[in-house]
Amino acid sequence: MSLELFDEAATRQPPRAEQIGPQTFVLRAFALPFIDDLLPPLRAVLKAAPLRRMMTPGGQTMSVALSNCGQLGWTTDTHGYRYTPLDPRTGQPWPALPEAFQRLAHDAAALAGFADFTPDACLINRYVPGARMSLHQDRNERDYSAPIVSVSLGLPAMFQMGGQQRSDRPVRVPLLHGDVMVWGGVDRLRFHGVLPLREGVHSVMGAQRINFTLRKAG
Ligand SMILES: O=C(O)CCC(=O)C(=O)O
């Protein structure tokens, strides 16, 4: 038995698109060829704008820790959800969107049928075991014609893709290290969320899952 059998990059075959809605696709392992270009800038972004657990307008602290890069960053506090050009914690602009993030987003969106995607915002989510994201719609962006490109790194997660109504029964989509989801068009406002992360240690990312979503917010 060869060692390559245990090498994720060697055994998973990019790119393979699974269609889970009229304009929703999972691109299995699509980010793996980009990984060496993604991780150093990701570390640099998180050094300049550290992950933090934000408060919802209802006064609850989110279990997921967040940060951002790009011209606009998504934040929440007791005043509401919004995009801001400055990191409220440092008063500085959010770190620039790394070139590799833009390239990945552009290429993944194109494969899913969204040509010329140019994101201006990237929300970074860090899940530790037990962290979750309840069903929600992404509606703080000004431009709903652009898709959402969502990159999963680290521990496996169970993503839930719902419908246009919160009460619509979601389908479960397991997401692994390197998987990229793209949704837009008629699916742009579908409710979605992530079930509590299971315990584990990923060989590259450790005991966590990092998700980042590229958006056109402004
Ligand atoms: O972590 C994920 O896969 C989804 C993140 C998400 O729903 C969001 O950032 O709006």
Side-chain angles (χ1 to χ4, degrees), residues 64 66 123-125 127 133-134 136-138 148 150-152 157 159 175 181 183 192-194 209-213 215:
V64 174
L66 310 179
L123 170 61
I124 304 166
N125 299 309
Y127 298 75
M133 195 169 286
S134 52
H136 65 280
Q137 291 171 298
D138 292 342
I148 304 282
S150 173
V151 181
S152 290
F159 186 89
L175 292 178
M181 270 193 78
W183 66 93
H192 58 281
V194 176
R209 169 175 187 258
I210 299 276
N211 164 264
F212 58 89
T213 45
R215 300 139 184 260

Side-chain angles (χ1 to χ4, degrees), residues 3-26:
L3 270 183
E4 278 86 20
L5 282 179
F6 298 100
D7 179 346
E8 203 163 22
T11 53
R12 302 187 64 212
Q13 302 285 315
R16 193 159 57 81
E18 289 173 21
Q19 187 165 14
I20 60 164
Q23 291 183 282
T24 304
F25 297 87
V26 183

